Amino acid sequence: LNRARDKRVIVELKNNKIFSGKLKAFDIHVNVVLEEAQEMVNGELKRKLGVVFIRGDTITIISPE
C-alpha cells in the first residue's frame, strides 16, 4: 500500500460496491482515504464522490487501477 500512495486504486467492498480513486492515506486497520473517488457499477461510472473514507473492515480487495 505504501507504493500505491498517491496512485489510483480500485477498492472492492463486502457489499460488492466498487470505488476507484487516488489513495491518499491508510492506517493499520486498512481504513483508507481516496481522493477523486468514483463509484463504479458494472465497470461504468455511476457517480463522482470526491474525498471518501472507507472503513478497513468493509474492504475485500485493494488493487492498482
Side-chain angles (χ1 to χ4, degrees), residues 20 30 33 39 41 56-57 65:
S20 68
V30 196
V33 176
E39 184 177 356
V41 175
D57 65 354
E65 193 169 75

Side-chain angles (χ1 to χ4, degrees), residues 8 11 13 15 17-22 32-41 44-54:
R8 292 197 62 83
V11 179
L13 306 184
N15 64 4
K17 290 192 180 220
I18 299 174
F19 296 93
S20 68
K22 190 185 296 182
V32 299
V33 176
L34 298 180
E35 280 186 346
E36 302 167 18
Q38 304 173 336
E39 184 177 356
M40 310 298 285
V41 175
E44 308 246 336
L45 173 63
K46 180 176 180 185
R47 60 186 170 158
K48 294 185 177 188
L49 300 167
V51 178
V52 297
F53 173 88
I54 303 172

